[in-house]
Amino acid sequence: QICHDAKGNEKYVICNAVDADPHSLAARLILGSDPHSVLEGILIAAYAVGASRGFICVNARNEQAVKRLTKALEQMRKYSLTDNNILDSNFSSEIEIREEADSLVSGEETALLRSIEGKQAIPYVRTVYPAISGLYGQPTLINNLETLSDVSAIFQKGPEWYSGFGTEQSRGTKVVTLSGNVAHKYTVEVPFGTTLQSVVMGIGGGVPNGKNIKAVQFGGPTGAYFNADSLNIGIDYETMEEAGSIIGSGVVEVFDSGSCAVEMARDVSYYIQTQSCGKCVFCREGSYQMYDILKDISEYKGRPQDLDLLAELGEAM
């Protein structure tokens, strides 16, 4: 509604189809199996806000998705579903594929805007919402591919059908990727409210080689860890927020009893430190110091006061 009402010479729709988390395969699954659902969602969104151009941003490494999207766009043009005077409606809107570099910040919307503009993909502080002033200073609607794919499905089957999935507050479904020490590393679509226990054990088949679960990290590298006794928790926005986690990328990473908790934390902090855009002092310096401390502990060089310092760094960050 904000983008629809905003004044501008031109309006844009951007579909964020970047799997920023290295373990996430959500975009690969959806674009590889049904790219038309996402492209239809972009077109519907463009018509709703009056956007003349749409962009779908995908990982450059996801070659299959780029090929599928390119073919799907050719098919849309053949049926007059994109570009000029779509279906003789006097509405024109074109969709362009943009390949993005693999990085954690590349999925952040302001970084994505800069990248499309030909600038370095670094986040910046928003003074106004992109819906009012986004790409090239014009009203811009940004959504991820799961949302836009859902729009296409809702138009076909109705809102009541869609509301039948999920919880009271978190309607619909979420694509999750199982990774780590799990028997079946599937990427699947589950209703919101599905428990981590059922995903890990029922879909993933549990931990192989007779080992037990030590922990499960949910939401990607910035998500929370849950121990084996805490897996009966629903995957939905409210429950995860109460538990101190996020939905994030939807990655479910399983760690078995042979995993070292210190090394788990060290590896995550190293990844965050290497992916930091460097603009925020706490992230830039804090992630470096956090990794340094955890590295010392993992190499038996830790000090008792390190735990308090880690907690203080974590709170500050």
Side-chain angles (χ1 to χ4, degrees):
Q1 187 67 53
I2 293 170
C3 189
H4 174 274
D5 295 342
K7 305 295 183 187
N9 298 324
E10 193 169 12
K11 295 182 181 181
Y12 304 100
V13 170
I14 297 175
C15 173
N16 185 349
V18 175
D19 280 326
D21 182 340
H23 294 298
S24 176
L25 297 173
R28 186 185 294 267
L29 173 70
I30 296 172
L31 296 177
S33 60
D34 190 8
H36 280 294
S37 67
V38 183
L39 295 173
E40 285 174 12
I42 295 172
L43 196 62
I44 293 166
Y47 183 74
V49 300
S52 57
R53 292 185 72 189
F55 297 89
I56 179 164
C57 303
V58 299
N59 301 80
R61 63 178 159 86
N62 197 348
E63 295 178 7
Q64 184 194 51
V66 174
K67 288 179 181 177
R68 294 277 171 91
L69 280 170
T70 302
K71 184 175 181 179
L73 277 173
E74 289 173 359
Q75 291 170 335
M76 288 179 73
R77 290 190 183 98
K78 182 180 176 182
Y79 287 95
S80 300
L81 288 169
T82 185
D83 298 339
N84 297 318
N85 193 23
I86 297 169
L87 298 177
D88 298 322
S89 63
N90 293 322
F91 174 70
S92 300
S93 188
E94 59 184 77
I95 300 174
E96 182 179 332
I97 303 166
R98 286 296 182 103
E99 297 180 44
E100 297 294 328
D102 290 344
S103 69
L104 186 63
V105 298
S106 64
E108 196 276 331
E109 63 179 28
T110 59
L112 209 56
L113 287 171
R114 292 176 86 95
S115 177
I116 295 172
E117 291 174 346
K119 303 171 185 174
Q120 190 173 357
I122 292 180
Y124 61 91
V125 178
R126 294 186 306 194
T127 52
V128 294
Y129 286 113
I132 297 172
S133 178
L135 189 64
Y136 305 118
Q138 300 298 318
T140 306
L141 183 70
I142 305 177
N143 264 308
N144 67 42
L145 83 161
E146 287 188 63
T147 300
L148 291 167
S149 178
D150 286 343
V151 166
S152 173
I154 291 166
F155 263 68
Q156 290 180 61
K157 299 189 177 183
E160 294 79 12
W161 166 82
Y162 186 77
S163 297
F165 298 98
T167 67
E168 188 66 30
Q169 298 297 319
S170 298
R171 306 283 189 182
T173 62
K174 175 65 187 169
V175 175
V176 298
T177 303
L178 279 153
S179 66
N181 307 128
V182 64
H184 308 302
K185 297 180 180 180
Y186 293 144
T187 301
V188 295
E189 184 179 14
V190 298
F192 279 118
T194 304
T195 64
L196 281 175
Q197 178 80 22
S198 62
V199 170
V200 174
M201 302 305 294
I203 299 172
V207 176
N209 304 321
K211 294 185 178 180
N212 298 317
I213 295 174
K214 183 162 196 169
V216 173
Q217 187 183 26
F218 180 72
T222 55
Y225 290 94
F226 298 90
N227 63 34
D229 297 328
S230 306
L231 299 183
N232 195 28
I233 180 172
I235 298 173
D236 61 77
Y237 290 101
E238 293 70 35
T239 304
M240 282 296 165
E241 186 176 352
E242 289 172 10
S245 187
I246 55 173
I247 292 292
S249 62
V251 169
V252 180
E253 187 167 6
V254 182
F255 297 89
D256 64 25
S257 50
S259 303
C260 171
V262 176
E263 291 176 0
M264 287 154 55
R266 178 200 64 192
D267 293 346
V268 165
S269 66
Y270 175 73
Y271 176 74
I272 291 171
Q273 185 252 317
T274 58
Q275 296 297 306
S276 172
C277 71
K279 291 190 76 173
C280 306
V281 175
F282 281 114
C283 178
R284 184 181 68 236
E285 305 299 328
S287 59
Y288 177 84
Q289 294 297 331
M290 190 172 277
Y291 167 69
D292 216 32
I293 294 167
L294 287 163
K295 183 171 178 287
D296 281 347
I297 296 173
S298 68
E299 295 173 353
Y300 307 102
K301 301 174 188 175
R303 306 167 301 167
Q305 61 265 37
D306 284 346
L307 296 179
D308 291 333
L309 185 54
L310 280 171
E312 189 179 341
L313 277 168
E315 289 291 337
M317 288 174 67

